[in-house]
């Protein structure tokens, strides 16, 4: 009845959990409440450990009884392990070895305030119940399981993040936005036409209706105090037209996504859900039980109906004519871009600064993809080019040996700095130099390692990364690079359009405004790399990665092709580094450690080598997640390492491997589209 | 193609319009409101991870926590408002300082910040706090140029390196009567900065710096470097950095034959961890630190030991952190008003001014009087020497002028 | 068989001549090599001027070389593990530095317990041996777990995938040890192990109840001033012990791989896993053995390292791990004597380089990596790494 | 016969002390199907490698269309008009059928990276034309319907055809085929035989091939050269060669024991 591996695997799991328990993880998270006052992070952890193992074990058996038995076995083995540890802890002083147990004794958390023996028994009983529940849960249909697990997970995650993600959107705003979107979505039942433009129009009208209604209610004072409106709804009072346009657009978006391919449809549907959840928890330091319940129910509803809706949307999409399909795809990506553009206004400085970091790593990921994903050259010293970009901008934008005609700025009378340091550039002048310098240094570093392959290349590039950092840090180059003090301050980029007659003079001085620079950088990088990858040079890179000798025999100039990969890839790192430097308003050599290179390599491999969406996803997971999960404190890096291992074990090709290029389809599509035009010419 | 361009342009136009409208409206809250059942939140930014750094950061957080325990409320008139802390990890690096600052300024409830811990983090956090109208008091950012007027939000209750370096140089030259020294730093902005000041001051006094070099953080074998030091034949080795490298240097110097040469460090290694790690090699090592020796300070340490169940504070900045906390609370009491609803209103600009107007506050580190540029540490540098496994006074506390 | 036809060819130049001319030709006509050669020449020139001007003495060189020897021995011991695993799996076991760290950490708890119980003082040699064994066992356990969990399931995956799991495993292990045992360094006790009182008659002498008793050479903690050839040296016997240990283990390993049945199986697996499996070799077992061997060397090295450096931290493995990998590549990865030589070379260059060139010690890694690049320009597969690397690259 | 397209003069290639190809003389007339046969380890593939620039022979001269090509890099030689296939199929894994062929056109395309990024009309025209031609090649070699399959997922026989298509994509004037029928059954071999003839006749190519299948060699070749121990031992029409006693000894007489070693090292080096 009990699966043959259950006991063995439960023992493995128990061992892993015990090791984690020895790090004091349960006590460490005990003070962080997730829901109300009683459910803390460590409760969640316990449920994950005991119930999760039970669920996992139950899933491999068939039939209720067997599932319950397996679940019970799994949960009990884990909990007995923990119980034994508690007994051991009370008998022997383990704190010399396991220092964190001193501060966070295991028993304090897991005994539920009872004495040792009754507490352990209670603990085991609870574990048994969890095991049985896990068995029962795994007996239900897939859909129920998905819904329950997803809802519980989102609920817990919300509870954890409530304190981090704050003041994003007020509840009335969130509800209004969701309503407009859903109204637009609901227009899919009006079957007048398949033409995407008309669909959009209908959706726009639906959204407009919502806007009108809301505006009316507000104007008559039925809904909210007109003097104390949240950000979006206050537009109704301040700028009615714009308010209506916003709501109409939301409705149009709803109409488009109602017939979009499954992936974008699902993604779009989660947006209003997330907004409402954020609205619910807005301004709270922790989540109350009622809020938790609402979140649970909302997520459950969406998850439950998602498969049906998504199937219908996909079906509708497939029914469309080719040009209409393309239109839908383009429109949905345009809406996505629009969301990206307004995101920082709501997300606030902190989330935006996390996004900035993510975007920076996306730029670098896309760049490094050229090296590793396309050309197959393993580069572990990508940080070198990043640092060069940052330093170039730093040197060119502030008084330095370079910009002051070889005189050290400290030797110049502060009043005369302006006259002497005539070389000081604006960001927009220095940026191209930074990109160019990084690219050129990339080529230069590439030359000596042209003949190296595989891991020899890896260690040499790693060495280059370290060399650049150490040179920047060294006292010997202090007059130029500032040694440990780095270069600061560096001015922020300034957009001054007054010279061309537009009254716009904005300094990109904070995380929100620099976000747009990063977005532009990502788009530029993605555009360039996508173009290159799908044409002659990209094919040359990829063939070189597959088989260098044959690629050469097919007429590919290896030296030129490799150096181009080095140069282009480094240029992107330089581009990111340049923005980084002026974002931080200073450059410190200690920013350029090996960990940067490792992060970039990891994120593109986790995302899927050679895939631009992969770089985005990889960066969100590896850079964004740990940054937001500051709640994990010191466990962040541990989780990061474990994530790398687990992700690779489960998905060796990455989360979003690049799709196979269907060139013949593109070709035939193109032919049908352009045939008449050609004859016309 | 044209249609595509028009569409894209349209979306951008809408987004831009929305942006300008919404952002125009989105002015930073210039004051904080706290309801009677709410809390005044004070951020504490310090390094909570990293080899050799975490103990120092933890020490800062504990200092603030203890101060919070001693003084858990702010009293405005006869209304009391609770104060809570929000500790965050600034990783002792510019990126960390930036992230933490962004974190605090996007949380309107945070009234002021104790920290960040390291000068690079302070430098990165400065512009962000400035823009948001926040104010911060660092217990440990010692880089001299932080108070050169660049940052309106930056204050500190710790003597600058410019002072510590001079005191160290004077101690070595005058008190110890040493004329030849070698300096080593750990490549951190703090280490490099303090060493530079100290070396300059020492040369001015008439001493000679016979050897200057640096170590890489994370390296384990410094014997070759120490061998070069020995060849230069100094009378004292002056190291600025943190515990890990400091204790390795202190231990390995004997292998290089520097037995007779004195070893001196700064506040980065002023921690019992240094003594326990370096063991016998720590004996006789001089350490300069902003930590004073006074009765109220000793009482504070006793409470600290009691509260956190440790043998000794894990770093030198607990007192500075506690003072920073109290200076902030004093300022809140000075400028906070209770409005008709019974809510506490704190005007950020007024708070910032009130902090810089602090005069003659008797803190743990001495009498605190803030200057226009945010320099609040009237405090003093004390030089200790390790004797029989403990820090003992090696000189009178030197007050700044 | 072709000799008979070569009578009409130009007369063959002498071998030595040929080598020098090809070398010259190869260098002069290759701009890269020319640049590399010039740089190398510049380095030598700077070094020579430094020596000539008296800034750098032979005495300093010898002193620094001795510490470099110990550091190099540690690098060599770790590098052997890298090389073994690379030779067989063609993967960079990035977590090998953490395997090293684990040995030192667990060894600490053993030696600490023995110090508490007084065993360290009473039976020093035995206690050290036990510590060494414990360290080795810990490293081996970690390495086996690594292989089983993180590497074996990915054996058929693209080569970058195990590299990422290795990086992940490295971070995980480092952080796990940090969370388990705390961030504060653990400090090995100072150990006095006296040997050969007969030979070293005038060392460590003390009056014991009126009689002069000499304990001999203190192998671990001893520090002696010695005058050799007019040079005033400070000698720590432990440095030589480490170097000696590394050489002995390397030779043992070499014999193991060359002579024993398991060693032959290892070489067979390195050549071709599938063919080896067809020949009845248990590939999994052979690979596990490889990990065990590499980890054992690292564990032994770690305990030695900790005995003379005292401090053990969760981060101690990372930098030596990278250096050791550099050493392995320098020597020609996959090559056992190469790893050894690379380790010693790197250790000595690191400790003598900065002073020799008169630059900051911060730049010692720059010298190390710079030399790596220079050497790879002339020998793209490392010093000894021809056969295997060309075939696998 | 007509003009000589490929000429090797006293080509010698040594590996250490081993002479893999020794003073090889050979001429391939334009428009011919020439075969190079010989026992395993005779140095045939090494000779191919010398012609295509993988190896730089120590001595001798190789002329293509009267111009020396010895010492050129493989890509330069491809540019001159020689391409090849491989004994153990070496397609670009991870690339589709069409992409493999497009890589073959690399030398004939001219768009530089900047043009690619900007997407100039010229570059787009060029890419479109290349794709069109690739589709035609796909059709020519009989891979229709498999354009978007990854090369490594094609069946074995079709992989060989794709390899030929990739080689043809550079519009070579001389095509070197290294054991085009290795691992094929008789039906497939026959198809390949017809295919090779078609290549010559329809595309106006010169074909130079290494082959072990005597039936194929004797059927399609205009000229057969026989190698043994790195040297040419016989040459002529299929009928002449079949009668040459040296050839018979080479094939029947047992070679020295290091024969296999030689073959191994060839595989390893290539």
């Amino acid at each position: 009845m009990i699966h043959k591996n259950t006991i063995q695997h439960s023992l493995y799991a128990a061992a892993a959990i015990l090791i984690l328990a020895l790090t004091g993880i349960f006590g460490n998270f005990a003070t962080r409440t997730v829901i109300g006052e009683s459910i803390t992070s460590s409760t969640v952890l316990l449920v994950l450990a005991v119930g999760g193992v039970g669920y996992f074990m139950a899933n491999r058996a068939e039939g209720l009884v067997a599932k319950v038995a397996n679940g019970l076995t799994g949960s009990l083995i884990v909990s007995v392990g923990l119980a034994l540890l508690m007994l051991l802890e009370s008998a022997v002083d383990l704190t010399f070895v396991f220092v964190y147990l001193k501060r966070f004794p295991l028993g304090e958390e897991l005994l539920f305030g009872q004495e040792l023996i009754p507490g352990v028994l209670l603990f085991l009983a609870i574990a048994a119940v969890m095991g049985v529940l896990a068995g029962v849960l795994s007996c239900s249909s897939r859909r129920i399981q998905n819904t329950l697990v997803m809802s519980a997970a989102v609920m817990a995650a919300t509870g954890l993040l409530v304190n981090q993600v704050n003041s994003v959107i007020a509840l009335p705003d969130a509800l209004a936005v969701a309503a407009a979107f859903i109204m637009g979505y609901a227009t899919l039942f009006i079957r007048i036409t398949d033409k995407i433009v008309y669909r959009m129009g209908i959706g726009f009208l639906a959204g407009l209706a919502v806007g009108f209604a809301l505006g009316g209610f507000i104007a008559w004072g039925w809904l909210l105090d007109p003097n104390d409106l949240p950000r979006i709804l206050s537009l109704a009072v301040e700028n009615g037209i714009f308010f209506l346009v916003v709501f109409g657009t939301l409705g149009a978006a709803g109409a488009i996504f109602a017939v979009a391919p499954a992936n974008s449809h699902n993604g779009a549907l989660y947006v209003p859900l997330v907004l409402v959840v954020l609205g619910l928890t807005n301004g709270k330091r922790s989540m109350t039980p009622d809020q938790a319940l609402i979140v649970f129910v909302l997520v459950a509803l969406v998850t439950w109906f998602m498969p049906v809706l998504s199937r219908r949307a996909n079906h509708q999409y497939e029914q469309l004519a080719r040009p209409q399909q393309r239109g839908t795809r383009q429109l949905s990506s345009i809406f996505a871009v629009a969301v990206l553009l307004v995101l920082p206004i709501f997300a606030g400085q902190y989330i935006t600064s996390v996004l900035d970091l993510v975007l920076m790593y996306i730029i670098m990921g896309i760049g490094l993809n050229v090296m590793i994903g396309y050309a197959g050259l393993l580069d572990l010293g990508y940080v070198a080019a990043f640092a060069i970009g940052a330093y170039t901008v730093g040197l060119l934008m502030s008084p330095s040996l370079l910009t002051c005609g070889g005189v050290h700025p400290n030797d110049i009378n502060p009043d005369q700095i302006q006259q002497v340091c005539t070389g000081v550039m604006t960001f927009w002048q220095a940026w191209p130099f930074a990109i160019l310098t990084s690219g050129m240094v990339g080529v230069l570093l590439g030359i000596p390692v042209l003949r190296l392959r595989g891991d020899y290349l890896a260690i040499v590039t790693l060495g280059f990364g370290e060399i650049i950092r150490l040179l920047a840090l060294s006292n010997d180059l202090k007059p130029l690079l500032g040694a440990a003090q780095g270069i600061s301050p560096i001015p922020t980029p300034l957009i001054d359009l007054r010279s061309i007659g537009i009254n716009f003079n904005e300094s990109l001085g904070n995380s929100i405004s620099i976000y747009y620079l990063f977005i532009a950088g990502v788009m530029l990088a993605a555009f360039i790399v996508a173009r290159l990858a799908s044409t002659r040079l990209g094919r040359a890179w990829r063939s070189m990665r597959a088989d260098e000798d044959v690629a050469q025999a097919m007429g590919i100039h290896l030296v030129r092709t490799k150096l181009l990969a080095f140069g282009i890839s480094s240029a992107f790192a330089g581009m990111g580094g340049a923005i980084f430097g002026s974002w931080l308003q200073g450059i410190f050599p200690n920013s350029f450690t090996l960990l940067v290179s490792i992060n970039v390599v990891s994120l593109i491999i986790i995302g899927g080598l050679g895939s631009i969406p992969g770089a985005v996803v990889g960066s969100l997971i590896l850079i964004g997640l740990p940054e937001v999960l500051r709640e994990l404190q010191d466990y962040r890096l541990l989780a990061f390492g474990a994530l790398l291992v687990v992700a690779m074990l489960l998905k060796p090709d990455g989360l979003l491997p690049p799709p196979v290029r269907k060139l013949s389809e593109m070709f035939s599509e193109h032919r049908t589209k352009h045939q008449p035009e050609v004859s016309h010419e | 193609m044209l249609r595509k361009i028009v569409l894209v342009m349209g979306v951008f136009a809408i987004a831009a319009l929305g942006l300008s409208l919404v952002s125009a409206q989105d002015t930073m809250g210039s004051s904080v409101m706290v309801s009677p059942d709410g809390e005044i939140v004070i951020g504490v930014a310090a390094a909570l991870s990293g080899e050799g750094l975490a103990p120092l950061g933890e020490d800062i957080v504990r200092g603030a926590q203890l101060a919070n325990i001693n003084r858990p409320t702010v009293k405005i008139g006869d209304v009391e408002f609770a104060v809570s802390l929000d500790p965050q990890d600034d990783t002792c690096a510019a990126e960390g300082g930036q992230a933490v600052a962004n974190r605090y300024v996007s949380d309107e409830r945070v009234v002021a910040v104790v920290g960040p811990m390291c000068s690079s983090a302070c430098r990165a956090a400065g512009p962000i706090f400035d823009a948001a109208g926040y104010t911060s008091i660092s217990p440990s950012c010692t880089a001299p140029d932080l108070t050169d007027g660049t940052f309106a939000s930056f204050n500190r209750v710790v003597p600058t390196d410019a002072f510590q370096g001079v005191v160290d140089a004077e101690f070595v030259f005058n008190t110890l009567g040493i004329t030849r020294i070698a300096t080593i730093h750990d490549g951190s902005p703090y280490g490099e900065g303090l060493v530079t000041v100290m070396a300059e001051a020492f040369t001015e006094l008439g001493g000679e710096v016979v050897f200057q070099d640096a170590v890489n953080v994370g390296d384990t074998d410094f014997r070759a470097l120490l061998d070069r030091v020995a060849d230069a034949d100094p009378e004292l080795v002056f190291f600025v950095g943190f515990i890990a490298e400091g204790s390795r240097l202190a231990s390995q110097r004997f292998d290089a034959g520097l037995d007779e040469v004195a070893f001196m460090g700064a506040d980065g290694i002023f921690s019992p961890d240094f003594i326990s790690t370096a063991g016998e090699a720590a004996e006789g090592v001089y350490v300069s630190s902003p930590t004073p020796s006074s009765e109220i300070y000793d009482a504070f340490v006793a409470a600290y030991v009691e509260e956190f169940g440790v043998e000794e504070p894990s770093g030198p900045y607990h007192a500075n952190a506690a003072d920073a906390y109290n200076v902030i609370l004093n300022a809140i009491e000075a400028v906070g008003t209770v409005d008709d609803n019974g809510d506490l209103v704190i005007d950020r600009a007024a708070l910032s001014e009130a902090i810089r107007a602090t005069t003659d506050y008797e803190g743990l580190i001495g009498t605190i009087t803030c200057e226009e540029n945010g320099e609040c540490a009237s405090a003093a540098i004390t030089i200790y020497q390790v004797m029989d496994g403990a820090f003992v006074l090696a000189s009178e506390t030197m007050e700044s002028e | 068989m072709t000799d008979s036809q070569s009578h009409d060819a130009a007369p063959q130049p002498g071998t030595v001549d040929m080598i020098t001319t090809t070398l010259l030709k190869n260098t002069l006509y290759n701009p890269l090599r020319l640049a590399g050669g010039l740089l190398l020449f510049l380095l030598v020139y700077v070094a020579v001027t430094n020596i000539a001007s008296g800034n750098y003495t032979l005495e300093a060189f010898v002193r620094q070389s001795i510490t470099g020897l110990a550091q190099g021995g540690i690098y060599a011991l770790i590098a052997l593990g890298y090389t073994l695993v690379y030779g067989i799996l063609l993967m960079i076991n990035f977590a090998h530095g953490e395997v090293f760290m684990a040995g030192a950490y667990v060894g600490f708890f053993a030696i600490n317990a023995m110090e508490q119980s007084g065993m360290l003082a009473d039976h020093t040699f035995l206690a050290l041996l036990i510590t060494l064994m414990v360290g080795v066992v810990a490293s081996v356990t970690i390495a086996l777990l690594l292989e089983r969990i993180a590497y074996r399931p990915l054996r058929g995956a693209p080569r970058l995938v195990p590299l990422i799991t290795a990086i992940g495993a490295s971070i995980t292990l480092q952080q796990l040890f940090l969370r388990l045992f705390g961030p504060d360094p653990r400090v090995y006790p100072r150990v006095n192990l006296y040997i050969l009182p007969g030979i070293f008659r005038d060392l460590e002498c003390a009056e014991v109840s009126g009689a002069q008793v000499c304990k001999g050479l203190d192998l671990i903690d001893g520090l002696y001033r010695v005058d050799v050839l007019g040079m005033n040296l400070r000698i720590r016997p432990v440095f030589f012990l480490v170097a000696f240990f590394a050489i002995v283990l390397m030779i043992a390993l070499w014999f193991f791989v060359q002579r024993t049945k398991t060693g032959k199986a290892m070489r067979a697996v390195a050549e071709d896993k599938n063919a080896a499996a067809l020949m009845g070799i248990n590939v999994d077992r052979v690979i596990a053995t490889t990990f065990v061997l590499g980890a054992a060397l690292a564990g032994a090295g770690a305990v030695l390292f900790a005995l003379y450096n005292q401090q053990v931290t969760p981060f101690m493995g990372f930098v030596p791990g990278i250096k050791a990998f550099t050493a392995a590549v320098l020597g020609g990865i996959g090559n056992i004597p190469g790893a050894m030589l690379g380790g010693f070379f790197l250790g000595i260059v690191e400790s003598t380089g900065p002073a020799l060139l008169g630059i900051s010690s911060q730049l010692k890694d720059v010298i190390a990596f710079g030399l790596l690049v220079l050497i790879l320009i002339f020998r793209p597969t490392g010093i000894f790494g021809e056969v295997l690397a060309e075939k696998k690259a | 016969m007509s003009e000589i397209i490929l000429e090797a003069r006293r080509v010698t290639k040594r590996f250490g002390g081993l002479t893999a190809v020794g003073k090889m003389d050979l001429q391939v007339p334009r428009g011919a199907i020439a075969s190079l046969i010989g026992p395993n380890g005779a140095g045939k593939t090494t000779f191919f490698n010398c012609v295509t620039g993988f190896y730089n022979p120590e001595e001798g001269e190789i002329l293509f269309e009267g111009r020396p090509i010895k010492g050129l890099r493989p890509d330069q030689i491809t540019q001159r008009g020689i391409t090849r296939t491989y004994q153990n199929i070496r397609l670009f894994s991870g690339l589709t059928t069409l992409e493999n062929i497009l890589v073959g056109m690399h030398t004939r395309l001219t768009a530089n990276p900047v043009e690619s990024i900007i997407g100039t009309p010229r570059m787009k025209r060029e890419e479109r034309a290349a794709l069109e031609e690739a589709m035609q090649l796909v059709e020519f070699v009989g891979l229709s319907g498999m354009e978007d399959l990854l090369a490594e997922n094609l069946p074995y026989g079709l992989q060989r055809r794709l390899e030929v298509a990739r080689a043809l994509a550079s519009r070579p004037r001389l095509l070197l085929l290294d054991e085009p029928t290795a691992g094929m059954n008789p039906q497939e071999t026959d198809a390949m035989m017809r295919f090779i003839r078609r290549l010559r006749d329809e595309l106006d190519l010169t074909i130079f091939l290494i082959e072990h299948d005597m039936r194929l060699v004797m059927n399609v070749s205009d000229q057969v050269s026989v190698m043994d121990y790195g040297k040419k031992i016989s040459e002529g029409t299929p009928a002449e060669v079949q009668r040459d006693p040296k050839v018979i000894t080479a094939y029947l007489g047992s070679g020295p024991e290091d024969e296999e070693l030689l073959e191994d090292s060839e595989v390893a080096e290539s």
Side-chain angles (χ1 to χ4, degrees), chain A residues 528 531 535-536 539-540 542-543 546-547 549-550 552-557 660-664 667 670, chain D residues 54 73-75 78 86 90 92-93 96 99 102 106-107 109 111 116-119 123 127-128 131 148 166:
Chain A
I528 290 177
R531 271 281 168 81
T535 49
R536 180 172 178 254
R539 287 192 297 265
R542 289 162 62 215
S543 64
D547 191 329
D549 294 329
V550 181
Q552 191 180 24
M554 266 7 274
I556 288 164
H557 193 294
V660 174
R661 281 158 218 263
K662 305 259 184 228
L663 286 177
S664 71
F667 182 68
H670 194 88
Chain D
F54 279 118
R73 289 190 315 269
D75 53 309
T78 306
Y86 301 84
R90 291 172 79 174
F92 299 124
S93 60
T96 62
E99 284 174 324
L102 285 172
H106 187 85
T107 49
L109 303 180
S116 297
I117 294 168
I118 300 169
M123 163 266 175
E127 282 284 317
R128 208 175 307 143
L131 199 54
D148 295 330
R166 181 181 67 185

Side-chain angles (χ1 to χ4, degrees), chain A residues 162-442:
Chain A
V162 158
N163 196 25
Q164 294 291 326
V165 183
N166 222 310
S167 339
V168 172
I169 190 167
L171 187 58
D173 274 358
L175 289 175
V177 167
F181 186 85
I182 291 167
M183 276 302 267
Y185 187 89
T187 57
L188 95 148
F189 295 110
I190 307 171
R191 290 179 179 269
I192 302 174
T193 167
D194 268 353
K195 275 234 167 186
I196 207 71
V197 183
Y198 297 124
R199 266 190 187 288
M200 220 169 83
I202 297 170
F204 192 86
L205 291 177
L208 216 56
V210 175
F212 261 120
L214 284 171
F217 291 155
I218 290 169
W220 291 316
W222 289 0
L223 202 58
L224 289 161
D225 176 10
N227 297 320
D228 191 22
L229 288 171
R231 212 177 289 177
I232 297 178
L233 289 180
S234 66
L235 284 177
V237 184
E238 288 161 14
N239 189 337
I241 308 277
F242 182 65
F243 177 77
L244 290 178
V245 170
V246 167
F247 274 82
T249 314
L250 283 168
I256 293 297
F257 282 110
V259 293
N263 278 341
S264 25
H265 168 268
N266 297 2
L269 268 201
Y270 280 116
V271 171
L273 174 71
V274 169
L275 285 182
V276 172
V277 170
L278 285 173
L280 262 177
T281 57
N282 197 32
K284 307 282 191 314
R285 287 222 112 176
S286 62
M287 193 162 66
T288 61
D290 338 344
Q291 285 170 341
L293 191 67
I294 298 175
V295 170
F296 186 89
V297 171
L298 275 178
V299 179
L301 281 175
V302 174
T303 320
W304 180 257
F305 288 111
M306 190 60 94
V308 186
L309 296 175
S310 133
R311 217 173 304 129
R312 176 169 39 212
N314 211 28
H315 179 71
Q316 294 230 354
Y317 170 76
E318 308 251 293
Q319 304 262 298
L320 294 177
R322 272 262 166 85
Q324 299 295 325
Q325 283 188 351
R326 201 177 327 111
T328 314
R329 281 202 308 268
Q330 282 169 359
L331 279 171
S332 34
S333 43
I334 288 173
F335 279 121
V337 170
V339 168
L340 272 184
L341 289 182
V342 295
L343 191 61
I345 301 170
F346 297 102
Q349 288 231 61
Y350 173 58
I351 301 291
T352 311
S353 74
V354 174
L355 285 176
D356 289 342
L357 205 62
V358 169
L359 291 171
M360 189 179 88
Y361 273 93
I362 293 176
I363 296 180
M364 293 208 280
I366 290 173
L368 191 60
N369 246 328
V370 169
M371 277 283 271
I372 302 182
Y374 298 131
L377 303 165
L378 179 51
D379 184 347
L380 289 183
Y382 200 49
V383 68
F386 177 64
I388 289 166
Y391 268 97
T392 311
V393 157
L395 287 176
L396 291 179
M397 284 179 73
S398 61
S400 67
L401 276 187
L402 274 189
T403 49
C404 301
V407 188
H408 195 277
N410 283 358
D411 302 337
I412 305 170
N413 185 342
D415 303 330
Q416 290 177 324
I417 278 217
Q418 289 240 303
Q419 283 93 56
V420 180
C421 300
T422 47
V424 177
M425 296 181 181
T426 67
F427 179 78
W428 310 109
Q429 292 164 328
W431 203 19
F433 274 103
I435 296 173
L436 218 66
T437 316
S438 307
M440 268 163 27
V441 174

Side-chain angles (χ1 to χ4, degrees), chain A residues 17-98:
Chain A
I17 290 165
L18 279 189
I19 290 176
L20 270 183
L22 285 174
T23 67
I25 194 167
F26 286 103
N28 210 339
F29 288 145
T31 48
R32 178 74 192 89
T33 58
V34 175
I35 301 166
E37 290 298 314
S38 47
I39 297 187
T40 63
S41 298
S42 83
T43 326
V44 174
L45 213 64
L46 190 66
V47 173
L48 262 183
V50 179
V53 172
Y55 179 64
F56 190 76
M57 297 303 157
N59 250 342
R60 31 167 83 167
E62 292 298 331
L64 178 66
V65 183
K67 274 177 184 286
V68 169
N70 275 287
L72 196 61
T73 316
S75 296
L76 274 183
I77 288 178
V78 171
S79 54
V80 165
L82 285 170
L84 285 178
L85 191 58
M86 281 187 268
L87 294 175
L88 183 70
E89 182 188 51
S90 66
V92 192
D93 182 19
L94 298 171
T95 56
F96 174 73
V97 179
F98 303 109

Side-chain angles (χ1 to χ4, degrees), chain C residues 116-133:
Chain C
Q116 301 295 326
S117 67
M119 186 173 167
L120 186 61
D122 300 343
H123 310 279
T124 313
F125 186 73
L126 186 63
L128 287 181
L129 208 62
I130 292 174
T131 311
L132 205 67
M133 292 328 283

Side-chain angles (χ1 to χ4, degrees), chain B residues 296-328:
Chain B
I296 51 164
Y297 172 71
D298 293 342
F300 184 79
V301 171
Y304 182 110
V305 168
E306 169 85 1
E307 177 65 32
F308 301 108
V310 290
E311 283 160 29
E312 268 173 280
S314 55
Y317 300 116
H318 44 274
N320 308 62
D323 282 351
Y325 172 88
N326 281 317
V327 168
I328 291 173

Side-chain angles (χ1 to χ4, degrees), chain C residues 211-225:
Chain C
Q212 183 87 341
V213 176
C214 291
K215 294 193 251 177
L217 185 76
D218 183 353
L219 192 58
I220 307 290
D221 205 35
L223 172 63
Y224 303 100
R225 289 175 188 279

